[in-house]
Amino acid sequence: MSRTHQPDPELTHRLSRRGMLGVAAGAAVAALLGTAATPAAATPATAATGRGRPVLPPGRLGIQLYSLRDKVSTLGFAPVFAELEKYGYDEVEFAGYTQGSAGPITLAQLKRLARDHGLTPIGSHVGYYSSDPNAYTFAQNLTKVLDDAQALGLKHIGTAAGPFRYGMTVDAMKRAAEEFNTYGAAAKARGMKFYQHNHSEEFSFATDNPKVRLYDVLLKETDPRLVYLEMDIFWAYVAQFRFSKRPDGTPAPFEPLDYVLRRPDRYPLFHVKDGESDPSNPFGYRMVDVGDGDIDYQKFISAVTRLKGHRLAHHWQAEHDNPTESLTFARRSSEHLHSLREKC
C-alpha cells in the first residue's frame, strides 16, 4: 500500500520558528549530504490527514539512530542531527555511541551536539550478554554501561537482545527475568529505567510448555517497578502473524495493542516501524517506510495517548532496519506521523 505523505502545516510553522542552524548552516549540511537543503518552512503546506488534534504528542517524536547508521558513519553525527532537527524530531535513541562516526567523539560532545540541535537523547540499546568478559554488555560491564548512560543524561537504558540467554523454556525465561530485575534495580538507583526491546520470537511458545507464551512469562517475572518494555510495533505484528497458533495448531490469537492498554506504565518507549502485509513472506510483512505500510498508527498511537495521564508518558521512535535512503526515510516518517489526526 502506498500513501501520500502530506506535510503538516503546524509542523511547518513550528520548524520555521525553530531553525537553530539558520539558512547558512543548512546550506553547509546540504553540501555535505550532496542534496538541496530546502528549509522546512518552504515546504508547501497541504491539508493534514483528517481533523482534530494531532495524534503524535508534542515533543515526543524520536528516531532510532540505527536507521541512519550509514549517514553517521560517513558524515558524523553533526550533519545527521542537523537534518533531524530540520525534519522536526525531538529525541534520539542510540545504538552505540560512535556507530562508526566520522571522527572521534566523546560522550560530553555527543550530549552537547544533540542539545545544540534541539534533540533529547532518550535511550540507548546495549548488548545483554557475551562470552567475552570485557564486552560492553549489561551482564559483563553493568557499571560502565550505566556510567555512560548517565553521562549522556539518558532517562532510559536498555537492550534489543532477546531474553534467550538460557534457552526458550519457562525456567530459562525466569532466569533472564531475574537478571533483568538486577539491571533494572541498578538503573533505577541512577534515576534511569531499564528496558527490553522485543522482536517477534518473544511471543513464541515455551519449548517445554507450548501452552505458555514466553512474553507472558517475561512480563510476569520482571518487577514492573524495575523493568520496562519498548514495544517494537512492527515485530509485534509479525509475531501476531507467526504465533497466533500454538505448535499443535490450536488458536492462540493476541493483539499487540492490548498488551500496552493493559499495562501502559510498562511501555515508556515504542519503535514506530511499518510493514506492508505479505502473507507469502515468512514474517507476514515486508518492512517499509513509516506511512507506506498497513499498520494503523493513527489507531495505535491514539489508543495509547488517550489513556488518562498518558498523553505525554510515552516516546515514539521511528525506525527502519534497512531503509532505501535513510534520510528520506527519516523525513517522510516525520511528515506522516505529524500529519495524523485523531478521529472526530
Side-chain angles (χ1 to χ4, degrees):
M1 182 183 299
S2 178
R3 298 182 175 87
T4 301
H5 292 254
Q6 298 179 330
D8 175 10
E10 293 181 18
L11 173 63
T12 299
H13 176 69
R14 179 163 66 90
L15 293 181
S16 69
R17 295 172 58 87
R18 185 175 175 181
M20 294 180 181
L21 292 182
V23 175
V29 171
L32 284 170
L33 295 173
T35 58
T38 303
T43 303
T46 54
T49 303
R51 298 178 179 178
R53 73 173 179 177
V55 166
L56 189 71
R60 291 296 185 267
L61 178 61
I63 191 166
Q64 166 51 254
L65 291 172
Y66 181 75
S67 304
L68 299 166
R69 61 195 181 277
D70 62 325
K71 294 298 189 294
V72 172
S73 66
T74 55
L75 302 173
F77 282 102
V80 171
F81 284 178
E83 290 297 292
L84 294 179
E85 179 184 26
K86 188 171 68 175
Y87 302 158
Y89 283 93
D90 309 293
E91 301 172 336
V92 289
E93 182 184 35
F94 291 98
Y97 306 129
T98 61
Q99 293 187 234
S101 174
I105 188 168
T106 67
L107 293 177
Q109 290 170 330
L110 191 55
K111 180 181 180 181
R112 184 168 57 252
L113 187 61
R115 181 193 63 205
D116 289 347
H117 289 285
L119 300 168
T120 299
I122 194 65
S124 182
H125 287 183
V126 177
Y128 168 18
Y129 67 93
S130 172
S131 59
D132 178 0
N134 298 312
Y136 190 78
T137 64
F138 283 97
Q140 277 65 47
N141 277 291
L142 177 61
T143 299
K144 174 61 174 170
V145 167
L146 297 181
D147 284 347
D148 289 351
Q150 200 165 22
L152 272 170
L154 299 181
K155 296 179 181 178
H156 309 83
I157 181 69
T159 184
F164 310 121
R165 181 180 187 180
Y166 304 106
M168 300 182 75
T169 65
V170 172
D171 284 342
M173 197 60 45
K174 289 181 178 180
R175 290 181 66 186
E178 183 177 358
E179 292 184 341
F180 283 5
N181 286 334
T182 298
Y183 309 150
K188 184 177 182 180
R190 307 271 197 120
M192 294 178 284
K193 293 180 178 179
F194 169 81
Y195 64 96
Q196 194 264 346
H197 162 286
N198 65 275
H199 291 86
S200 62
E201 287 76 12
E202 284 87 340
F203 294 89
S204 63
F205 299 93
T207 54
D208 61 336
N209 188 345
K211 293 183 179 180
V212 175
R213 197 180 298 277
L214 293 174
Y215 197 68
D216 295 337
V217 179
L218 183 67
L219 282 168
K220 181 180 178 181
E221 297 296 329
T222 49
D223 187 331
R225 299 166 300 180
L226 303 176
V227 177
Y228 297 85
L229 291 307
E230 177 180 60
M231 178 174 281
D232 186 304
I233 300 168
F234 169 85
W235 287 116
Y237 278 101
V238 168
Q240 184 188 59
F241 175 84
R242 297 181 64 195
F243 303 117
S244 283
K245 290 184 179 180
R246 298 185 180 88
D248 65 1
T250 58
F254 74 94
E255 170 55 51
L257 179 58
D258 289 345
Y259 274 97
V260 180
L261 298 183
R262 286 194 295 265
R263 308 171 181 87
D265 292 333
R266 298 208 70 180
Y267 293 90
L269 304 170
F270 293 91
H271 272 191
V272 180
K273 184 186 298 179
D274 214 344
E276 187 173 36
S277 180
D278 180 5
S280 67
N281 186 304
F283 292 125
Y285 291 89
R286 292 185 297 103
M287 198 177 296
V288 295
D289 288 357
V290 177
D292 286 347
D294 297 311
I295 297 177
D296 189 344
Y297 278 111
Q298 190 278 340
K299 174 184 175 182
F300 196 105
I301 299 175
S302 289
V304 176
T305 57
R306 281 177 174 173
L307 296 172
K308 186 177 180 180
H310 283 270
R311 175 71 175 160
L312 297 174
H314 308 273
H315 305 266
W316 307 89
Q317 316 296 309
E319 188 187 32
H320 191 310
D321 290 356
N322 292 290
T324 301
E325 209 297 313
S326 58
L327 286 173
T328 299
F329 154 76
R331 175 182 56 78
R332 297 179 75 241
S333 297
S334 175
E335 288 175 357
H336 176 73
L337 292 169
H338 278 104
S339 77
L340 296 177
R341 292 291 181 270
E342 291 186 352
K343 294 179 180 179
C344 298

